[in-house]
Amino acid sequence: MRGFLASSIGVTCAAALAVPLTPPAAAPPPTTERAARAEAYAPGGTQSLPLAPLTRDRAPGAAAQGLPRRDVRHFSLVGVVWDDPGTELRGRVEVRTRATATGTWSPWQELETHNAEHSADPGTAESASRRVRGATAPLWVGESDGVEVRVRAESGPQTTRAAATLPGGMRLELVDPGKGAPPATVPEPEEGPRTTTTSAGSPASAEAVAASAANAGLAPLGATEIPALSQAETEAELGAGQHTKPYVGARPSITTRHGWGADEGLREKGFVYTKKVKAAFVHHSATGNNYRCSQASSVIRSIYRYHVRSTGWRDLGYNFLVDKCGNIYEGRAGGVSKAVLGAHTLGFNSNSMGIAVLGTYSDRKPSSAAVKAIARLTAWKLGIYGMNPDGKTYLKSGGGNLYRKGKNVRLNVISGHRDGFATNCPGKLLYGKLDTSRAKAARYQGR
């Protein structure tokens, strides 16, 4: 299992700090697809705008809040956050945005308000952080320079006065993903007072080296991609020293964090691991389907910034992400072959991994390429830990709205988010494709 399960990178990092974060000179030229992702670096940022009552009721928690139409700096992803992560937003959040290229205003688009189930487990250091906020799911809108938002508390004959209020401290988050991957060192940009921007200065450079070194043995330091292996190569690497042939799928190509342009200065330092990977929870990002695959890296950088800067998590919540073309991306830092503790399935983050398919699949079918990518990824990653993708396993609940804390729950090894928490995620049409992914993944493992 050499190159897969090494849990310590201290020696690697110490030796690597003196090495430039670039691929070796002898590396082959990038493919057209990879080259298209390389672009001049520009740091991203977040505009955080407080919402105000839309009626004469100026009291905190007024039943209707928002912002009138206004010009803003460029952004591509929107979300709404509030102070108390334990408070649920019971209501409707809608936004309109103006496209930078055409000046055209979009129709009203709704944000998913039930998002608390995508988070760290109760009682963990990450969930207990004072930085954590309540938040909607983010929505990708493409490059925009104007916005309008309205938030209305739910109302009706069965709604109490207490329920017809909104959480306190509501803010609109407008995320600019920036462009390209941060270089080793760049000067701090001059930004306006409402923008939160972190560039890759010296501390971020060290963290970038650490994030890349976590994949030592799989790819060179600074690689933008972990290359695919054949079935025979994967079995040979995993089976070294074993007496029986392992059940494992061929390792798929995975775009690294450096490949999609992660600013490692945003996240908390270091990595947090769980014991093993016994299950994979499949999600949809609920960010909408209005993106091109060439924009997937920008979408991921936006989600990453939203999770860390707006929601207050230590890093991107998902362990992996998949776009509609079937490309696979490294998520939370710590090494793609390792048991990295994520923040994706409230109550079941331990001993599992989270895979988010970019898009919203409540009413739209996922692409066959995305479904196949789930199978390829799980056949490999679950195979490293000896798990059958078409089998069952037990996980201990950390607490949630379906299972009490401490309960041992029997789950599919490849489960949907809704199997561990009462939620729509991953959307009924993606959820309906999980049997296909399970069967394919088992076949890829040779079962």
Side-chain angles (χ1 to χ4, degrees):
M1 302 177 69
R2 190 169 55 245
F4 282 98
L5 297 178
S7 61
S8 173
I9 61 170
V11 174
T12 305
C13 288
L17 287 175
V19 181
L21 190 60
T22 55
T31 64
T32 301
E33 179 184 358
R34 298 293 174 183
R37 295 178 187 173
E39 51 187 343
Y41 172 66
T46 303
Q47 300 170 71
S48 185
L49 308 173
L51 302 190
L54 295 178
T55 65
R56 294 182 179 181
D57 183 1
R58 312 297 295 184
Q65 297 185 33
L67 287 175
R69 216 184 258 201
R70 65 170 62 189
D71 297 338
V72 292
R73 289 187 298 279
H74 289 194
F75 69 97
S76 296
L77 179 138
V78 302
V80 170
V81 301
W82 54 94
D83 291 341
D84 183 1
T87 299
E88 184 178 353
L89 195 166
R90 298 180 180 274
R92 188 179 183 92
V93 180
E94 296 175 301
V95 297
R96 298 180 65 200
T97 56
R98 184 179 63 203
T100 303
T102 64
T104 303
W105 283 88
S106 73
W108 287 103
Q109 301 182 80
E110 189 171 359
L111 274 62
E112 174 58 63
T113 59
H114 300 288
N115 193 51
E117 63 270 21
H118 299 81
S119 59
D121 288 346
T124 60
E126 185 170 6
S127 68
S129 168
R130 293 184 179 181
R131 297 188 305 274
V132 177
R133 304 177 186 90
T136 67
L139 178 68
W140 174 261
V141 295
E143 190 168 342
S144 305
D145 59 10
V147 69
E148 182 178 5
V149 60
R150 61 191 185 193
V151 184
R152 291 188 171 91
E154 65 182 14
S155 60
Q158 304 302 318
T159 305
T160 66
R161 181 176 179 83
T165 59
L166 295 170
M170 297 185 69
R171 305 182 71 87
L172 177 67
E173 304 287 288
L174 305 175
V175 180
D176 172 12
K179 296 182 185 299
T185 305
V186 297
E188 282 287 338
E190 293 184 4
E191 292 282 354
R194 299 304 302 157
T195 299
T196 303
T197 301
T198 302
S199 66
S202 298
S205 180
E207 286 306 306
V209 171
S212 184
N215 290 313
L218 307 185
L221 188 69
T224 59
E225 177 188 8
I226 294 171
L229 295 180
S230 69
Q231 183 75 29
E233 290 170 330
T234 304
E235 289 176 356
E237 187 163 17
L238 182 60
Q242 295 188 16
H243 298 296
T244 59
K245 178 180 176 180
Y247 287 107
V248 62
R251 187 178 78 198
S253 170
I254 302 172
T255 299
T256 65
R257 289 171 65 90
H258 185 54
W260 55 257
D263 181 348
E264 301 294 354
L266 291 177
R267 64 174 175 83
E268 287 187 17
K269 294 181 179 181
F271 316 122
V272 180
Y273 296 98
T274 185
K275 293 180 179 179
K276 59 185 72 173
V277 179
K278 297 174 63 179
F281 286 98
V282 177
H283 306 255
H284 63 176
S285 64
T287 47
N289 302 300
N290 189 27
Y291 74 94
R292 302 184 302 275
C293 292
S294 60
Q295 296 175 308
S297 289
S298 294
V299 176
I300 295 169
R301 287 197 302 272
S302 298
I303 297 172
Y304 170 48
R305 182 173 284 274
Y306 185 76
H307 280 184
V308 176
R309 283 293 191 235
S310 300
T311 309
W313 299 350
R314 74 182 319 272
D315 192 356
L316 181 62
Y318 308 113
N319 297 102
F320 296 93
L321 302 99
V322 173
D323 69 25
K324 63 178 74 173
C325 291
N327 299 307
I328 301 169
Y329 303 82
E330 179 183 13
R332 181 164 286 207
V336 297
S337 66
K338 299 172 186 175
V340 178
L341 181 66
H344 49 82
T345 306
L346 182 67
F348 291 101
N349 290 303
S350 292
N351 297 329
S352 73
M353 68 178 185
I355 305 168
V357 181
L358 297 179
T360 304
Y361 299 102
S362 301
D363 300 304
R364 181 175 294 191
K365 292 181 180 179
S367 68
S368 58
V371 174
K372 183 178 180 180
I374 294 170
R376 289 166 51 232
L377 174 59
T378 53
W380 171 69
K381 182 66 181 275
L382 292 171
I384 294 173
Y385 292 87
M387 299 304 297
N388 179 355
D390 204 20
K392 304 282 186 179
T393 191
Y394 282 89
L395 291 178
K396 182 176 291 187
S397 172
N401 65 1
L402 278 183
Y403 303 104
R404 61 174 173 78
K405 183 175 182 179
K407 181 177 176 62
N408 280 319
V409 182
R410 189 169 185 258
L411 295 162
N412 289 311
V413 171
I414 298 179
S415 285
H417 186 182
R418 63 175 62 183
D419 294 320
F421 198 97
T423 175
N424 175 58
C425 184
K428 64 181 179 181
L429 297 185
L430 177 53
Y431 187 77
K433 291 291 186 180
L434 294 188
D435 275 341
T436 300
S437 291
R438 294 181 188 110
K440 282 181 177 291
R443 287 201 301 272
Y444 292 154
Q445 285 190 348
R447 294 182 186 272

